[in-house]
Protein backbone atom coordinates (compact mmCIF):
# COMPACT_ATOMS: atom_id res chain seq x y z
CA UNK A 1 0.00 0.00 0.00
CA UNK A 2 1.17 3.51 -0.86
CA UNK A 3 1.41 5.27 2.50
CA UNK A 4 3.16 7.83 4.66
CA UNK A 5 4.20 5.41 7.38
CA UNK A 6 4.44 8.03 10.14
CA UNK A 7 0.83 8.98 9.46
CA UNK A 8 -0.18 5.33 9.65
CA UNK A 9 1.66 4.96 12.99
CA UNK A 10 -0.04 8.09 14.35
CA UNK A 11 -3.47 6.89 13.20
CA UNK A 12 -2.92 3.45 14.74
CA UNK A 13 -1.89 4.94 18.11
CA UNK A 14 -5.00 7.16 18.06
CA UNK A 15 -7.33 4.24 17.23
CA UNK A 16 -5.73 1.74 19.61
CA UNK A 17 -5.31 4.23 22.45
CA UNK A 18 -1.74 3.25 23.35
CA UNK A 19 1.78 3.08 21.96
CA UNK A 20 2.12 -0.55 23.06
CA UNK A 21 -1.07 -1.66 21.27
CA UNK A 22 -0.05 0.26 18.14
CA UNK A 23 3.39 -1.38 18.14
CA UNK A 24 1.73 -4.80 18.44
CA UNK A 25 -0.71 -4.00 15.62
CA UNK A 26 2.02 -2.71 13.29
CA UNK A 27 4.60 -5.37 14.15
CA UNK A 28 7.25 -2.87 15.23
CA UNK A 29 8.84 -1.97 18.57
CA UNK A 30 7.37 0.56 20.99
CA UNK A 31 10.50 2.80 20.72
CA UNK A 32 9.96 2.85 16.93
CA UNK A 33 6.37 4.01 17.45
CA UNK A 34 7.58 6.73 19.86
CA UNK A 35 10.19 7.78 17.32
CA UNK A 36 7.65 8.23 14.53
CA UNK A 37 5.32 10.22 16.80
CA UNK A 38 8.23 12.40 18.01
CA UNK A 39 9.16 13.18 14.39
CA UNK A 40 5.59 14.23 13.63
CA UNK A 41 5.39 16.33 16.80
CA UNK A 42 8.71 17.96 15.89
CA UNK A 43 7.42 18.83 12.42
CA UNK A 44 4.17 20.26 13.83
CA UNK A 45 5.84 21.94 16.81
CA UNK A 46 3.30 20.68 19.30
CA UNK A 47 2.17 17.54 21.13
CA UNK A 48 -0.28 15.18 19.42
CA UNK A 49 -1.14 13.06 22.47
CA UNK A 50 -1.69 13.52 26.20
CA UNK A 51 0.18 10.56 27.65
CA UNK A 52 -0.43 8.86 30.97
CA UNK A 53 0.06 5.36 32.35
CA UNK A 54 -3.61 4.56 31.84
CA UNK A 55 -4.35 6.09 28.43
CA UNK A 56 -3.12 7.99 25.40
CA UNK A 57 -5.54 10.71 24.30
CA UNK A 58 -5.42 13.10 21.34
CA UNK A 59 -4.61 16.77 22.00
CA UNK A 60 -6.56 19.45 20.06
CA UNK A 61 -3.83 19.45 17.38
CA UNK A 62 -3.90 15.65 17.43
CA UNK A 63 -7.65 15.68 16.73
CA UNK A 64 -7.11 17.94 13.73
CA UNK A 65 -4.38 15.67 12.37
CA UNK A 66 -6.49 12.57 13.02
CA UNK A 67 -9.32 13.92 10.83
CA UNK A 68 -6.86 14.61 8.01
CA UNK A 69 -5.07 11.29 8.54
CA UNK A 70 -8.35 9.36 8.10
CA UNK A 71 -9.01 11.11 4.80
CA UNK A 72 -5.41 10.82 3.58
CA UNK A 73 -5.12 7.12 4.42
CA UNK A 74 -8.47 6.47 2.73
CA UNK A 75 -7.23 8.29 -0.37
CA UNK A 76 -4.10 6.12 -0.33
CA UNK A 77 -6.32 3.02 -0.25
CA UNK A 78 -8.39 4.30 -3.16
CA UNK A 79 -5.22 5.08 -5.12
CA UNK A 80 -4.02 1.53 -4.45
CA UNK A 81 -7.32 0.16 -5.75
CA UNK A 82 -7.12 2.20 -8.96
CA UNK A 83 -3.42 1.49 -9.57
CA UNK A 84 -3.61 -2.20 -8.59
CA UNK A 85 -7.11 -3.43 -9.50
CA UNK A 86 -8.78 -5.98 -7.27
CA UNK A 87 -7.82 -9.58 -7.92
CA UNK A 88 -11.24 -10.82 -6.84
CA UNK A 89 -12.25 -13.58 -9.20
CA UNK A 90 -15.92 -13.73 -8.23
CA UNK A 91 -18.53 -11.29 -9.52
CA UNK A 92 -19.85 -9.32 -6.54
CA UNK A 93 -23.08 -7.34 -6.19
CA UNK A 94 -24.30 -4.65 -3.86
CA UNK A 95 -27.85 -3.35 -3.60
CA UNK A 96 -28.64 0.09 -2.19
CA UNK A 97 -32.24 1.11 -1.45
CA UNK A 98 -32.56 4.88 -1.24
CA UNK A 99 -35.08 7.68 -1.12
CA UNK A 100 -35.54 9.42 -4.51
CA UNK A 101 -33.63 12.64 -3.74
CA UNK A 102 -30.61 10.68 -2.49
CA UNK A 103 -30.62 8.57 -5.66
CA UNK A 104 -30.69 11.61 -7.94
CA UNK A 105 -28.34 13.97 -6.12
CA UNK A 106 -25.87 11.67 -4.35
CA UNK A 107 -25.82 8.03 -5.35
CA UNK A 108 -25.61 8.13 -9.14
CA UNK A 109 -22.19 9.87 -9.26
CA UNK A 110 -20.99 7.80 -6.29
CA UNK A 111 -21.96 4.54 -8.01
CA UNK A 112 -20.04 5.57 -11.13
CA UNK A 113 -16.98 6.45 -9.02
CA UNK A 114 -17.20 3.13 -7.17
CA UNK A 115 -17.60 1.10 -10.38
CA UNK A 116 -14.47 2.69 -11.84
CA UNK A 117 -12.36 1.59 -8.85
CA UNK A 118 -14.05 -1.76 -8.21
CA UNK A 119 -14.83 -2.89 -11.74
CA UNK A 120 -15.63 -6.44 -10.61
CA UNK A 121 -18.60 -5.32 -8.50
CA UNK A 122 -22.08 -4.56 -9.83
CA UNK A 123 -23.83 -1.86 -7.84
CA UNK A 124 -27.63 -1.51 -8.05
CA UNK A 125 -29.37 1.60 -6.71
CA UNK A 126 -33.12 1.25 -6.15
CA UNK A 127 -35.46 4.21 -5.59
CA UNK A 128 -37.66 3.47 -2.58
CA UNK A 129 -39.53 5.29 0.17
CA UNK A 130 -37.91 5.43 3.61
CA UNK A 131 -40.21 2.67 4.88
CA UNK A 132 -39.55 0.44 1.86
CA UNK A 133 -35.77 0.95 2.13
CA UNK A 134 -35.87 0.07 5.84
CA UNK A 135 -37.93 -3.05 5.13
CA UNK A 136 -35.50 -4.17 2.38
CA UNK A 137 -32.60 -3.72 4.80
CA UNK A 138 -34.41 -5.72 7.51
CA UNK A 139 -35.21 -8.52 5.03
CA UNK A 140 -31.60 -8.60 3.70
CA UNK A 141 -32.84 -7.56 0.24
CA UNK A 142 -30.55 -4.52 0.35
CA UNK A 143 -27.00 -4.15 1.67
CA UNK A 144 -27.40 -0.46 2.46
CA UNK A 145 -30.24 2.03 2.85
CA UNK A 146 -29.93 5.78 2.30
CA UNK A 147 -32.84 7.62 3.91
CA UNK A 148 -33.84 11.03 5.25
CA UNK A 149 -33.95 9.67 8.83
CA UNK A 150 -31.99 6.95 10.66
CA UNK A 151 -33.34 3.40 10.26
CA UNK A 152 -34.44 1.81 13.55
CA UNK A 153 -32.54 -1.36 14.45
CA UNK A 154 -29.73 -0.70 11.97
CA UNK A 155 -26.26 0.80 12.19
CA UNK A 156 -27.06 4.34 10.88
CA UNK A 157 -24.85 7.40 10.46
CA UNK A 158 -25.01 10.75 8.66
CA UNK A 159 -24.17 10.13 5.03
CA UNK A 160 -24.52 13.52 3.36
CA UNK A 161 -25.87 17.01 3.83
CA UNK A 162 -27.09 18.37 0.53
CA UNK A 163 -28.28 21.82 -0.50
CA UNK A 164 -30.89 21.43 -3.24
CA UNK A 165 -31.68 24.67 -5.03
CA UNK A 166 -35.40 25.41 -5.25
CA UNK A 167 -36.45 22.41 -3.16
CA UNK A 168 -39.04 22.72 -0.41
CA UNK A 169 -36.27 21.70 2.01
CA UNK A 170 -33.18 23.57 0.74
CA UNK A 171 -30.87 21.65 3.10
CA UNK A 172 -31.44 17.92 3.47
CA UNK A 173 -29.60 15.40 5.66
CA UNK A 174 -29.37 11.79 4.51
CA UNK A 175 -28.42 8.78 6.60
CA UNK A 176 -26.72 5.59 5.49
CA UNK A 177 -27.74 2.42 7.29
CA UNK A 178 -26.48 -1.12 7.16
CA UNK A 179 -27.75 -4.26 8.75
CA UNK A 180 -25.79 -5.77 11.63
CA UNK A 181 -26.01 -9.15 9.86
CA UNK A 182 -24.57 -9.18 6.36
CA UNK A 183 -22.36 -11.43 4.27
CA UNK A 184 -21.34 -8.49 2.10
CA UNK A 185 -19.19 -6.64 4.64
CA UNK A 186 -16.10 -6.30 2.40
CA UNK A 187 -18.07 -4.78 -0.45
CA UNK A 188 -19.90 -2.42 1.92
CA UNK A 189 -16.60 -1.28 3.47
CA UNK A 190 -15.15 -0.68 0.00
CA UNK A 191 -18.18 1.43 -0.92
CA UNK A 192 -18.00 3.46 2.30
CA UNK A 193 -14.29 4.05 1.65
CA UNK A 194 -15.17 5.47 -1.77
CA UNK A 195 -17.84 7.68 -0.17
CA UNK A 196 -15.34 9.14 2.28
CA UNK A 197 -12.91 10.09 -0.51
CA UNK A 198 -15.32 11.10 -3.28
CA UNK A 199 -15.71 14.76 -4.23
Amino acid sequence: MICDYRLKVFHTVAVKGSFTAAARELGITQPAVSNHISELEGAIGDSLFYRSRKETVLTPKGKILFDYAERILNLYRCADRELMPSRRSEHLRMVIAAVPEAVRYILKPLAEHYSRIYSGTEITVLERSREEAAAMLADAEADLAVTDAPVDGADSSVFATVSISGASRPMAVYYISKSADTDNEDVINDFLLCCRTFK
Side-chain angles (χ1 to χ4, degrees):
M1 175 182 165
I2 302 167
C3 186
D4 179 331
Y5 195 68
R6 291 183 307 177
L7 210 55
K8 186 175 181 181
V9 171
F10 162 77
H11 185 266
T12 306
V13 172
V15 169
K16 294 292 179 182
S18 84
F19 282 51
T20 304
R24 196 178 308 117
E25 173 79 11
L26 296 166
I28 60 177
T29 64
Q30 189 172 332
V33 170
S34 298
N35 219 26
H36 286 298
I37 299 302
S38 293
E39 285 179 16
L40 278 176
E41 290 177 330
I44 290 166
D46 209 342
S47 297
L48 294 169
F49 294 100
Y50 295 120
R51 300 164 175 88
S52 71
R53 288 186 178 181
K54 291 185 178 179
E55 58 183 354
T56 301
V57 180
L58 288 167
T59 64
K61 288 262 179 93
K63 288 177 184 176
I64 293 169
L65 183 59
F66 182 80
D67 288 341
Y68 280 106
E70 288 241 288
R71 282 181 267 174
I72 291 165
L73 292 171
N74 284 333
L75 283 168
Y76 279 140
R77 290 185 196 108
C78 277
D80 278 345
R81 290 291 193 181
E82 290 203 65
L83 294 168
M84 297 171 282
S86 173
R87 293 177 175 80
R88 292 171 174 160
S89 56
E90 71 271 32
H91 184 73
L92 300 173
R93 291 188 75 241
M94 179 170 61
V95 176
I96 303 173
V99 294
E101 283 182 344
V103 172
R104 286 194 291 273
Y105 297 111
I106 305 168
L107 289 166
K108 284 189 177 176
L110 265 175
E112 288 170 12
H113 175 64
Y114 178 89
S115 297
R116 192 179 80 238
I117 298 172
Y118 301 93
S119 55
T121 303
E122 178 188 340
I123 182 167
T124 304
V125 180
L126 303 173
E127 228 177 87
R128 297 291 186 267
S129 69
R130 182 198 314 159
E131 293 76 17
E132 289 169 331
M136 288 185 73
L137 198 67
D139 295 338
E141 293 173 6
D143 298 294
L144 294 171
V146 178
T147 55
D148 52 3
V151 173
D152 290 337
D155 181 10
S156 298
S157 59
V158 173
F159 182 54
T161 305
V162 181
S163 178
I164 302 168
S165 178
S168 58
R169 290 179 302 142
M171 185 65 74
V173 178
Y174 295 98
Y175 296 84
I176 193 160
S177 308
K178 64 177 181 174
S179 173
D181 303 317
T182 178
D183 296 329
N184 223 4
E185 195 71 34
D186 288 344
V187 179
I188 290 170
N189 288 338
D190 288 342
F191 179 75
L192 295 176
L193 169 61
C194 280
C195 295
R196 287 194 294 270
T197 55
F198 179 69
K199 284 191 173 181

